[in-house]
Amino acid sequence: MYYNEETIIFYNGEFVKVNDIKIDLYSQSLHYGNGVFEGIRAYNTSKGARIFKPYEHYKRLKYGAEVMNIQFDYSEEELTEITYQLLERNGLKDAYIRPLITTGADMSLTTSTKANLIIQCWEWGKYMGDKLLRVKTSKFQRPNPNACFVEAKVTGHYINSILSTNEAKQEGYDEALLLDMNGNVAECSGANVFMQKDGKLYTPPRGHIMAGITRSTVIDLCKELGFYVEEKHFALEEIKQADSCFFTGTAAEVVGLQSLDDYEFPLEWEQSLGYQLMKEYKDEVLGLRTKAKAV
Ligand code: PMP
């Protein structure tokens, strides 16, 4: 699904066939989860492949490398240029892009002085599908911000996402909602959360969550469309009184929730602000909104 023998990746300054690369079995990323990555989307538009917010994603990648003390000197501009070339070499337009910085062979617990840049991409349809999600509150909490850099996409952090998704799926749900260390609603395993109550939208503030690029795009869209949106903490009891709810993420885009545990969100999805934002977001990623405005 992700690659075949013709697939080209970018590896340490070169475009190479994926099967020509050997990974280092002594890499700190493999042993301790010390690596940073990104998840980016490219969309097929009338003007060709369009990568959505590449600078923002590469800025976050560079931030992750910095806080983990990983040596990484590429600029956002260089990385964006390389990524467009990579899409072209693989003949991809609708794609998911996965940049990954791995650390070198080093069994100590200080960051290796060597790092590798890998950029992979593959054909991408919709991640969660168009159907509304049945979500379970996870027994796992999001990591404590005093234990790690929660805004950095560090590979090792994703154990928490895997545990909570496994738990949800094993119990027949589609996805997991995680609380933070104070018992407030935090986010989904790989997406941010918004709730709608009495015509207003609420989303948890930064600090205990991933600062999602889709989340900030949606907040900007709300401001533009005149929707009330507030960043504030809310408890599980409050979200279970909401009229509607949705997740946001690069992969998920904007996706509505049908239920949380045994609570069914009462507002028809098509009547919700989330539904309107889902449609606006689809236009935004394709570059249609700015075009519409310019005409
Ligand atoms: N939360 C978590 C834990 C994530 O991994 C992601 C995906 N990066 C998000 C939220 C959504 O972030 P974005 O909108 O930047 O994809």
Side-chain angles (χ1 to χ4, degrees), residues 37-40 57 60 96 142 150 153 158 160-161 187-193 209-217 248-253 281:
F37 71 102
E38 262 308 319
I40 313 177
H57 283 280
R60 189 166 64 188
Y96 187 83
R142 286 299 288 158
V150 290
K153 273 182 87 76
Y158 280 78
N160 175 256
S161 300
E187 58 188 325
C188 166
S189 55
N192 294 110
V193 60
I209 58 167
M210 172 63 63
I213 291 162
T214 319
R215 173 184 177 277
S216 63
T217 305
T248 62
T250 298
E253 300 181 331
Y281 184 79

PDB file of all heavy atoms in Angstrom, residues 37-40 57 60 96 142 150 153 158 160-161 187-193 209-217 248-253 281, ligand 1:
ATOM      1  N   PHE A  37       8.751  13.538  13.208  1.00  0.00           N
ATOM      2  CA  PHE A  37       8.137  13.338  11.897  1.00  0.00           C
ATOM      3  C   PHE A  37       7.034  14.362  11.653  1.00  0.00           C
ATOM      4  O   PHE A  37       6.690  15.142  12.529  1.00  0.00           O
ATOM      5  CB  PHE A  37       7.613  11.905  11.760  1.00  0.00           C
ATOM      6  CG  PHE A  37       6.392  11.570  12.583  1.00  0.00           C
ATOM      7  CD1 PHE A  37       5.138  11.514  11.993  1.00  0.00           C
ATOM      8  CD2 PHE A  37       6.491  11.319  13.942  1.00  0.00           C
ATOM      9  CE1 PHE A  37       4.007  11.198  12.739  1.00  0.00           C
ATOM     10  CE2 PHE A  37       5.367  11.004  14.700  1.00  0.00           C
ATOM     11  CZ  PHE A  37       4.126  10.936  14.097  1.00  0.00           C
ATOM     12  N   GLU A  38       6.504  14.334  10.446  1.00  0.00           N
ATOM     13  CA  GLU A  38       5.368  15.182  10.086  1.00  0.00           C
ATOM     14  C   GLU A  38       4.372  14.373   9.277  1.00  0.00           C
ATOM     15  O   GLU A  38       4.707  13.304   8.732  1.00  0.00           O
ATOM     16  CB  GLU A  38       5.818  16.398   9.258  1.00  0.00           C
ATOM     17  CG  GLU A  38       5.980  17.668  10.065  1.00  0.00           C
ATOM     18  CD  GLU A  38       4.771  18.031  10.902  1.00  0.00           C
ATOM     19  OE1 GLU A  38       3.629  17.884  10.426  1.00  0.00           O
ATOM     20  OE2 GLU A  38       4.953  18.447  12.044  1.00  0.00           O
ATOM     21  N   GLY A  39       3.174  14.865   9.188  1.00  0.00           N
ATOM     22  CA  GLY A  39       2.149  14.294   8.322  1.00  0.00           C
ATOM     23  C   GLY A  39       1.566  15.440   7.523  1.00  0.00           C
ATOM     24  O   GLY A  39       1.005  16.372   8.098  1.00  0.00           O
ATOM     25  N   ILE A  40       1.748  15.404   6.210  1.00  0.00           N
ATOM     26  CA  ILE A  40       1.374  16.537   5.341  1.00  0.00           C
ATOM     27  C   ILE A  40       0.506  15.988   4.216  1.00  0.00           C
ATOM     28  O   ILE A  40       0.687  14.847   3.788  1.00  0.00           O
ATOM     29  CB  ILE A  40       2.641  17.223   4.745  1.00  0.00           C
ATOM     30  CG1 ILE A  40       3.701  17.465   5.837  1.00  0.00           C
ATOM     31  CG2 ILE A  40       2.294  18.519   4.032  1.00  0.00           C
ATOM     32  CD1 ILE A  40       5.010  18.077   5.328  1.00  0.00           C
ATOM     33  N   HIS A  57       4.092  22.948   8.461  1.00  0.00           N
ATOM     34  CA  HIS A  57       4.470  21.580   8.856  1.00  0.00           C
ATOM     35  C   HIS A  57       5.980  21.466   9.061  1.00  0.00           C
ATOM     36  O   HIS A  57       6.438  20.852  10.026  1.00  0.00           O
ATOM     37  CB  HIS A  57       4.007  20.568   7.798  1.00  0.00           C
ATOM     38  CG  HIS A  57       2.540  20.269   7.878  1.00  0.00           C
ATOM     39  ND1 HIS A  57       2.022  19.395   8.801  1.00  0.00           N
ATOM     40  CD2 HIS A  57       1.489  20.738   7.171  1.00  0.00           C
ATOM     41  CE1 HIS A  57       0.703  19.323   8.647  1.00  0.00           C
ATOM     42  NE2 HIS A  57       0.353  20.128   7.661  1.00  0.00           N
ATOM     43  N   ARG A  60       7.140  22.982  12.239  1.00  0.00           N
ATOM     44  CA  ARG A  60       6.899  22.105  13.398  1.00  0.00           C
ATOM     45  C   ARG A  60       7.941  20.975  13.437  1.00  0.00           C
ATOM     46  O   ARG A  60       8.393  20.576  14.504  1.00  0.00           O
ATOM     47  CB  ARG A  60       5.469  21.553  13.331  1.00  0.00           C
ATOM     48  CG  ARG A  60       5.055  20.806  14.586  1.00  0.00           C
ATOM     49  CD  ARG A  60       3.558  20.564  14.649  1.00  0.00           C
ATOM     50  NE  ARG A  60       3.096  19.688  13.578  1.00  0.00           N
ATOM     51  CZ  ARG A  60       1.811  19.436  13.319  1.00  0.00           C
ATOM     52  NH1 ARG A  60       0.862  19.996  14.049  1.00  0.00           N
ATOM     53  NH2 ARG A  60       1.462  18.639  12.344  1.00  0.00           N
ATOM     54  N   TYR A  96      -0.216  11.603   0.671  1.00  0.00           N
ATOM     55  CA  TYR A  96       0.163  11.838   2.061  1.00  0.00           C
ATOM     56  C   TYR A  96       1.688  11.866   2.084  1.00  0.00           C
ATOM     57  O   TYR A  96       2.336  11.012   1.459  1.00  0.00           O
ATOM     58  CB  TYR A  96      -0.360  10.705   2.946  1.00  0.00           C
ATOM     59  CG  TYR A  96      -0.154  10.964   4.415  1.00  0.00           C
ATOM     60  CD1 TYR A  96      -1.059  11.751   5.136  1.00  0.00           C
ATOM     61  CD2 TYR A  96       0.943  10.449   5.086  1.00  0.00           C
ATOM     62  CE1 TYR A  96      -0.873  12.007   6.487  1.00  0.00           C
ATOM     63  CE2 TYR A  96       1.136  10.701   6.444  1.00  0.00           C
ATOM     64  CZ  TYR A  96       0.228  11.479   7.129  1.00  0.00           C
ATOM     65  OH  TYR A  96       0.417  11.730   8.471  1.00  0.00           O
ATOM     66  N   ARG A 142      -3.528  11.747  27.779  1.00  0.00           N
ATOM     67  CA  ARG A 142      -2.457  12.320  26.949  1.00  0.00           C
ATOM     68  C   ARG A 142      -1.223  12.511  27.835  1.00  0.00           C
ATOM     69  O   ARG A 142      -1.356  12.712  29.059  1.00  0.00           O
ATOM     70  CB  ARG A 142      -2.882  13.679  26.357  1.00  0.00           C
ATOM     71  CG  ARG A 142      -3.879  13.568  25.232  1.00  0.00           C
ATOM     72  CD  ARG A 142      -3.340  12.787  24.040  1.00  0.00           C
ATOM     73  NE  ARG A 142      -2.322  13.518  23.296  1.00  0.00           N
ATOM     74  CZ  ARG A 142      -1.417  12.943  22.499  1.00  0.00           C
ATOM     75  NH1 ARG A 142      -1.378  11.633  22.337  1.00  0.00           N
ATOM     76  NH2 ARG A 142      -0.562  13.681  21.852  1.00  0.00           N
ATOM     77  N   VAL A 150       4.903  18.155  24.288  1.00  0.00           N
ATOM     78  CA  VAL A 150       3.688  17.625  23.652  1.00  0.00           C
ATOM     79  C   VAL A 150       3.416  18.227  22.274  1.00  0.00           C
ATOM     80  O   VAL A 150       2.679  17.655  21.488  1.00  0.00           O
ATOM     81  CB  VAL A 150       2.427  17.800  24.543  1.00  0.00           C
ATOM     82  CG1 VAL A 150       2.476  16.892  25.742  1.00  0.00           C
ATOM     83  CG2 VAL A 150       2.201  19.244  24.937  1.00  0.00           C
ATOM     84  N   LYS A 153       6.241  16.525  17.296  1.00  0.00           N
ATOM     85  CA  LYS A 153       5.801  15.209  16.783  1.00  0.00           C
ATOM     86  C   LYS A 153       6.967  14.228  16.892  1.00  0.00           C
ATOM     87  O   LYS A 153       7.638  13.930  15.905  1.00  0.00           O
ATOM     88  CB  LYS A 153       5.306  15.329  15.336  1.00  0.00           C
ATOM     89  CG  LYS A 153       3.828  15.705  15.257  1.00  0.00           C
ATOM     90  CD  LYS A 153       3.328  15.770  13.838  1.00  0.00           C
ATOM     91  CE  LYS A 153       2.857  14.452  13.313  1.00  0.00           C
ATOM     92  NZ  LYS A 153       1.549  14.023  13.795  1.00  0.00           N
ATOM     93  N   TYR A 158       3.977   8.503  20.092  1.00  0.00           N
ATOM     94  CA  TYR A 158       2.826   7.883  19.418  1.00  0.00           C
ATOM     95  C   TYR A 158       2.436   6.517  19.987  1.00  0.00           C
ATOM     96  O   TYR A 158       1.406   5.957  19.603  1.00  0.00           O
ATOM     97  CB  TYR A 158       3.015   7.919  17.891  1.00  0.00           C
ATOM     98  CG  TYR A 158       2.644   9.320  17.460  1.00  0.00           C
ATOM     99  CD1 TYR A 158       3.528  10.369  17.650  1.00  0.00           C
ATOM    100  CD2 TYR A 158       1.359   9.624  17.034  1.00  0.00           C
ATOM    101  CE1 TYR A 158       3.158  11.676  17.391  1.00  0.00           C
ATOM    102  CE2 TYR A 158       0.983  10.920  16.763  1.00  0.00           C
ATOM    103  CZ  TYR A 158       1.890  11.948  16.949  1.00  0.00           C
ATOM    104  OH  TYR A 158       1.503  13.243  16.707  1.00  0.00           O
ATOM    105  N   ASN A 160       1.335   6.319  22.937  1.00  0.00           N
ATOM    106  CA  ASN A 160       0.089   6.708  23.610  1.00  0.00           C
ATOM    107  C   ASN A 160      -1.096   6.676  22.637  1.00  0.00           C
ATOM    108  O   ASN A 160      -2.190   6.205  22.980  1.00  0.00           O
ATOM    109  CB  ASN A 160       0.279   8.119  24.207  1.00  0.00           C
ATOM    110  CG  ASN A 160      -0.975   8.692  24.829  1.00  0.00           C
ATOM    111  OD1 ASN A 160      -1.610   9.559  24.245  1.00  0.00           O
ATOM    112  ND2 ASN A 160      -1.334   8.212  25.994  1.00  0.00           N
ATOM    113  N   SER A 161      -0.870   7.131  21.398  1.00  0.00           N
ATOM    114  CA  SER A 161      -1.938   7.123  20.386  1.00  0.00           C
ATOM    115  C   SER A 161      -2.278   5.688  19.987  1.00  0.00           C
ATOM    116  O   SER A 161      -3.446   5.351  19.777  1.00  0.00           O
ATOM    117  CB  SER A 161      -1.496   7.901  19.150  1.00  0.00           C
ATOM    118  OG  SER A 161      -1.218   9.233  19.500  1.00  0.00           O
ATOM    119  N   GLU A 187      -7.646  15.676  23.335  1.00  0.00           N
ATOM    120  CA  GLU A 187      -7.702  15.496  21.880  1.00  0.00           C
ATOM    121  C   GLU A 187      -7.897  14.023  21.553  1.00  0.00           C
ATOM    122  O   GLU A 187      -7.910  13.166  22.437  1.00  0.00           O
ATOM    123  CB  GLU A 187      -6.423  16.030  21.231  1.00  0.00           C
ATOM    124  CG  GLU A 187      -5.154  15.362  21.744  1.00  0.00           C
ATOM    125  CD  GLU A 187      -3.879  16.030  21.246  1.00  0.00           C
ATOM    126  OE1 GLU A 187      -3.860  16.513  20.112  1.00  0.00           O
ATOM    127  OE2 GLU A 187      -2.892  16.040  22.004  1.00  0.00           O
ATOM    128  N   CYS A 188      -8.031  13.756  20.271  1.00  0.00           N
ATOM    129  CA  CYS A 188      -8.137  12.388  19.763  1.00  0.00           C
ATOM    130  C   CYS A 188      -6.706  11.833  19.638  1.00  0.00           C
ATOM    131  O   CYS A 188      -5.730  12.555  19.842  1.00  0.00           O
ATOM    132  CB  CYS A 188      -8.850  12.489  18.414  1.00  0.00           C
ATOM    133  SG  CYS A 188      -8.798  11.058  17.368  1.00  0.00           S
ATOM    134  N   SER A 189      -6.558  10.577  19.286  1.00  0.00           N
ATOM    135  CA  SER A 189      -5.223   9.975  19.190  1.00  0.00           C
ATOM    136  C   SER A 189      -4.340  10.659  18.140  1.00  0.00           C
ATOM    137  O   SER A 189      -3.122  10.671  18.251  1.00  0.00           O
ATOM    138  CB  SER A 189      -5.352   8.492  18.865  1.00  0.00           C
ATOM    139  OG  SER A 189      -6.119   8.336  17.695  1.00  0.00           O
ATOM    140  N   GLY A 190      -4.972  11.239  17.107  1.00  0.00           N
ATOM    141  CA  GLY A 190      -4.191  11.900  16.064  1.00  0.00           C
ATOM    142  C   GLY A 190      -4.938  13.077  15.457  1.00  0.00           C
ATOM    143  O   GLY A 190      -4.740  13.412  14.287  1.00  0.00           O
ATOM    144  N   ALA A 191      -5.794  13.719  16.249  1.00  0.00           N
ATOM    145  CA  ALA A 191      -6.582  14.860  15.746  1.00  0.00           C
ATOM    146  C   ALA A 191      -7.038  15.694  16.936  1.00  0.00           C
ATOM    147  O   ALA A 191      -7.071  15.199  18.066  1.00  0.00           O
ATOM    148  CB  ALA A 191      -7.792  14.356  14.957  1.00  0.00           C
ATOM    149  N   ASN A 192      -7.362  16.954  16.678  1.00  0.00           N
ATOM    150  CA  ASN A 192      -7.880  17.837  17.731  1.00  0.00           C
ATOM    151  C   ASN A 192      -9.403  17.767  17.773  1.00  0.00           C
ATOM    152  O   ASN A 192     -10.029  17.259  16.844  1.00  0.00           O
ATOM    153  CB  ASN A 192      -7.406  19.278  17.484  1.00  0.00           C
ATOM    154  CG  ASN A 192      -5.905  19.412  17.640  1.00  0.00           C
ATOM    155  OD1 ASN A 192      -5.173  19.615  16.677  1.00  0.00           O
ATOM    156  ND2 ASN A 192      -5.431  19.296  18.860  1.00  0.00           N
ATOM    157  N   VAL A 193      -9.967  18.310  18.854  1.00  0.00           N
ATOM    158  CA  VAL A 193     -11.412  18.189  19.038  1.00  0.00           C
ATOM    159  C   VAL A 193     -12.066  19.563  19.234  1.00  0.00           C
ATOM    160  O   VAL A 193     -11.491  20.446  19.867  1.00  0.00           O
ATOM    161  CB  VAL A 193     -11.736  17.236  20.225  1.00  0.00           C
ATOM    162  CG1 VAL A 193     -11.150  17.734  21.539  1.00  0.00           C
ATOM    163  CG2 VAL A 193     -13.227  17.001  20.371  1.00  0.00           C
ATOM    164  N   ILE A 209      -1.895  19.702  24.407  1.00  0.00           N
ATOM    165  CA  ILE A 209      -2.321  19.082  23.143  1.00  0.00           C
ATOM    166  C   ILE A 209      -1.302  19.357  22.042  1.00  0.00           C
ATOM    167  O   ILE A 209      -0.440  20.221  22.180  1.00  0.00           O
ATOM    168  CB  ILE A 209      -3.691  19.648  22.682  1.00  0.00           C
ATOM    169  CG1 ILE A 209      -3.623  21.181  22.511  1.00  0.00           C
ATOM    170  CG2 ILE A 209      -4.802  19.225  23.628  1.00  0.00           C
ATOM    171  CD1 ILE A 209      -4.809  21.783  21.779  1.00  0.00           C
ATOM    172  N   MET A 210      -1.452  18.637  20.924  1.00  0.00           N
ATOM    173  CA  MET A 210      -0.710  18.967  19.712  1.00  0.00           C
ATOM    174  C   MET A 210      -1.330  20.243  19.138  1.00  0.00           C
ATOM    175  O   MET A 210      -2.560  20.355  19.060  1.00  0.00           O
ATOM    176  CB  MET A 210      -0.860  17.811  18.713  1.00  0.00           C
ATOM    177  CG  MET A 210      -0.305  18.052  17.334  1.00  0.00           C
ATOM    178  SD  MET A 210       1.463  18.310  17.305  1.00  0.00           S
ATOM    179  CE  MET A 210       2.079  16.749  17.899  1.00  0.00           C
ATOM    180  N   ALA A 211      -0.470  21.204  18.777  1.00  0.00           N
ATOM    181  CA  ALA A 211      -0.972  22.441  18.173  1.00  0.00           C
ATOM    182  C   ALA A 211      -1.264  22.152  16.703  1.00  0.00           C
ATOM    183  O   ALA A 211      -0.421  22.383  15.830  1.00  0.00           O
ATOM    184  CB  ALA A 211       0.056  23.545  18.327  1.00  0.00           C
ATOM    185  N   GLY A 212      -2.418  21.590  16.438  1.00  0.00           N
ATOM    186  CA  GLY A 212      -2.744  21.121  15.097  1.00  0.00           C
ATOM    187  C   GLY A 212      -2.810  22.263  14.078  1.00  0.00           C
ATOM    188  O   GLY A 212      -3.337  23.342  14.366  1.00  0.00           O
ATOM    189  N   ILE A 213      -2.283  21.995  12.913  1.00  0.00           N
ATOM    190  CA  ILE A 213      -2.316  22.981  11.824  1.00  0.00           C
ATOM    191  C   ILE A 213      -3.743  23.066  11.272  1.00  0.00           C
ATOM    192  O   ILE A 213      -4.223  24.140  10.910  1.00  0.00           O
ATOM    193  CB  ILE A 213      -1.246  22.618  10.768  1.00  0.00           C
ATOM    194  CG1 ILE A 213       0.138  22.865  11.405  1.00  0.00           C
ATOM    195  CG2 ILE A 213      -1.421  23.408   9.465  1.00  0.00           C
ATOM    196  CD1 ILE A 213       1.292  22.199  10.730  1.00  0.00           C
ATOM    197  N   THR A 214      -4.445  21.944  11.272  1.00  0.00           N
ATOM    198  CA  THR A 214      -5.850  21.960  10.846  1.00  0.00           C
ATOM    199  C   THR A 214      -6.684  22.725  11.875  1.00  0.00           C
ATOM    200  O   THR A 214      -7.572  23.498  11.512  1.00  0.00           O
ATOM    201  CB  THR A 214      -6.386  20.517  10.723  1.00  0.00           C
ATOM    202  OG1 THR A 214      -5.380  19.704  10.136  1.00  0.00           O
ATOM    203  CG2 THR A 214      -7.652  20.460   9.898  1.00  0.00           C
ATOM    204  N   ARG A 215      -6.394  22.496  13.152  1.00  0.00           N
ATOM    205  CA  ARG A 215      -7.090  23.215  14.232  1.00  0.00           C
ATOM    206  C   ARG A 215      -6.974  24.727  14.023  1.00  0.00           C
ATOM    207  O   ARG A 215      -7.964  25.447  14.087  1.00  0.00           O
ATOM    208  CB  ARG A 215      -6.465  22.797  15.574  1.00  0.00           C
ATOM    209  CG  ARG A 215      -6.947  23.557  16.794  1.00  0.00           C
ATOM    210  CD  ARG A 215      -6.148  23.078  18.021  1.00  0.00           C
ATOM    211  NE  ARG A 215      -6.477  23.797  19.230  1.00  0.00           N
ATOM    212  CZ  ARG A 215      -5.956  24.983  19.561  1.00  0.00           C
ATOM    213  NH1 ARG A 215      -5.078  25.580  18.764  1.00  0.00           N
ATOM    214  NH2 ARG A 215      -6.314  25.576  20.696  1.00  0.00           N
ATOM    215  N   SER A 216      -5.742  25.222  13.766  1.00  0.00           N
ATOM    216  CA  SER A 216      -5.605  26.674  13.606  1.00  0.00           C
ATOM    217  C   SER A 216      -6.230  27.138  12.297  1.00  0.00           C
ATOM    218  O   SER A 216      -6.774  28.254  12.227  1.00  0.00           O
ATOM    219  CB  SER A 216      -4.151  27.134  13.756  1.00  0.00           C
ATOM    220  OG  SER A 216      -3.373  26.577  12.763  1.00  0.00           O
ATOM    221  N   THR A 217      -6.212  26.286  11.268  1.00  0.00           N
ATOM    222  CA  THR A 217      -6.892  26.660  10.008  1.00  0.00           C
ATOM    223  C   THR A 217      -8.396  26.803  10.262  1.00  0.00           C
ATOM    224  O   THR A 217      -9.033  27.759   9.786  1.00  0.00           O
ATOM    225  CB  THR A 217      -6.651  25.572   8.921  1.00  0.00           C
ATOM    226  OG1 THR A 217      -5.248  25.382   8.763  1.00  0.00           O
ATOM    227  CG2 THR A 217      -7.281  25.942   7.586  1.00  0.00           C
ATOM    228  N   THR A 248     -10.376  17.469  14.064  1.00  0.00           N
ATOM    229  CA  THR A 248      -9.642  18.098  12.959  1.00  0.00           C
ATOM    230  C   THR A 248      -8.218  17.551  12.911  1.00  0.00           C
ATOM    231  O   THR A 248      -7.581  17.383  13.951  1.00  0.00           O
ATOM    232  CB  THR A 248      -9.548  19.630  13.130  1.00  0.00           C
ATOM    233  OG1 THR A 248      -8.814  19.923  14.329  1.00  0.00           O
ATOM    234  CG2 THR A 248     -10.903  20.296  13.179  1.00  0.00           C
ATOM    235  N   GLY A 249      -7.726  17.290  11.711  1.00  0.00           N
ATOM    236  CA  GLY A 249      -6.342  16.842  11.554  1.00  0.00           C
ATOM    237  C   GLY A 249      -6.008  16.765  10.079  1.00  0.00           C
ATOM    238  O   GLY A 249      -6.906  16.680   9.231  1.00  0.00           O
ATOM    239  N   THR A 250      -4.732  16.780   9.778  1.00  0.00           N
ATOM    240  CA  THR A 250      -4.291  16.723   8.382  1.00  0.00           C
ATOM    241  C   THR A 250      -4.892  15.522   7.668  1.00  0.00           C
ATOM    242  O   THR A 250      -5.361  15.623   6.533  1.00  0.00           O
ATOM    243  CB  THR A 250      -2.755  16.662   8.339  1.00  0.00           C
ATOM    244  OG1 THR A 250      -2.256  17.858   8.920  1.00  0.00           O
ATOM    245  CG2 THR A 250      -2.228  16.497   6.929  1.00  0.00           C
ATOM    246  N   ALA A 251      -4.850  14.367   8.338  1.00  0.00           N
ATOM    247  CA  ALA A 251      -5.358  13.144   7.721  1.00  0.00           C
ATOM    248  C   ALA A 251      -6.891  13.108   7.785  1.00  0.00           C
ATOM    249  O   ALA A 251      -7.559  12.833   6.791  1.00  0.00           O
ATOM    250  CB  ALA A 251      -4.762  11.930   8.416  1.00  0.00           C
ATOM    251  N   ALA A 252      -7.439  13.407   8.953  1.00  0.00           N
ATOM    252  CA  ALA A 252      -8.892  13.304   9.155  1.00  0.00           C
ATOM    253  C   ALA A 252      -9.639  14.467   8.501  1.00  0.00           C
ATOM    254  O   ALA A 252     -10.845  14.362   8.262  1.00  0.00           O
ATOM    255  CB  ALA A 252      -9.191  13.285  10.648  1.00  0.00           C
ATOM    256  N   GLU A 253      -8.959  15.575   8.251  1.00  0.00           N
ATOM    257  CA  GLU A 253      -9.550  16.842   7.825  1.00  0.00           C
ATOM    258  C   GLU A 253     -10.560  17.279   8.894  1.00  0.00           C
ATOM    259  O   GLU A 253     -10.180  17.389  10.058  1.00  0.00           O
ATOM    260  CB  GLU A 253     -10.151  16.716   6.425  1.00  0.00           C
ATOM    261  CG  GLU A 253      -9.063  16.321   5.413  1.00  0.00           C
ATOM    262  CD  GLU A 253      -9.537  16.197   3.998  1.00  0.00           C
ATOM    263  OE1 GLU A 253     -10.717  15.872   3.776  1.00  0.00           O
ATOM    264  OE2 GLU A 253      -8.705  16.416   3.092  1.00  0.00           O
ATOM    265  N   TYR A 281     -13.263  23.821   4.641  1.00  0.00           N
ATOM    266  CA  TYR A 281     -11.892  23.300   4.734  1.00  0.00           C
ATOM    267  C   TYR A 281     -11.502  22.589   3.439  1.00  0.00           C
ATOM    268  O   TYR A 281     -10.390  22.752   2.948  1.00  0.00           O
ATOM    269  CB  TYR A 281     -11.754  22.354   5.940  1.00  0.00           C
ATOM    270  CG  TYR A 281     -10.338  21.862   6.133  1.00  0.00           C
ATOM    271  CD1 TYR A 281      -9.374  22.661   6.738  1.00  0.00           C
ATOM    272  CD2 TYR A 281      -9.946  20.602   5.673  1.00  0.00           C
ATOM    273  CE1 TYR A 281      -8.062  22.219   6.886  1.00  0.00           C
ATOM    274  CE2 TYR A 281      -8.638  20.156   5.816  1.00  0.00           C
ATOM    275  CZ  TYR A 281      -7.701  20.975   6.425  1.00  0.00           C
ATOM    276  OH  TYR A 281      -6.396  20.541   6.563  1.00  0.00           O
TER     277      TYR A 281
HETATM  278  N1  PMP B   1      -3.228  15.697  17.711  1.00  0.00           N
HETATM  279  C1  PMP B   1      -2.301  14.738  17.539  1.00  0.00           C
HETATM  280  C2  PMP B   1      -1.895  13.911  18.697  1.00  0.00           C
HETATM  281  C3  PMP B   1      -1.745  14.525  16.265  1.00  0.00           C
HETATM  282  O1  PMP B   1      -0.837  13.566  16.082  1.00  0.00           O
HETATM  283  C4  PMP B   1      -2.173  15.323  15.192  1.00  0.00           C
HETATM  284  C5  PMP B   1      -1.601  15.096  13.817  1.00  0.00           C
HETATM  285  N2  PMP B   1      -0.400  15.810  13.654  1.00  0.00           N
HETATM  286  C6  PMP B   1      -3.125  16.316  15.427  1.00  0.00           C
HETATM  287  C7  PMP B   1      -3.626  16.476  16.704  1.00  0.00           C
HETATM  288  C8  PMP B   1      -3.605  17.202  14.308  1.00  0.00           C
HETATM  289  O2  PMP B   1      -2.559  18.023  13.851  1.00  0.00           O
HETATM  290  P1  PMP B   1      -2.548  18.565  12.341  1.00  0.00           P
HETATM  291  O3  PMP B   1      -3.836  19.269  12.155  1.00  0.00           O
HETATM  292  O4  PMP B   1      -1.375  19.474  12.305  1.00  0.00           O
HETATM  293  O5  PMP B   1      -2.408  17.387  11.461  1.00  0.00           O
END
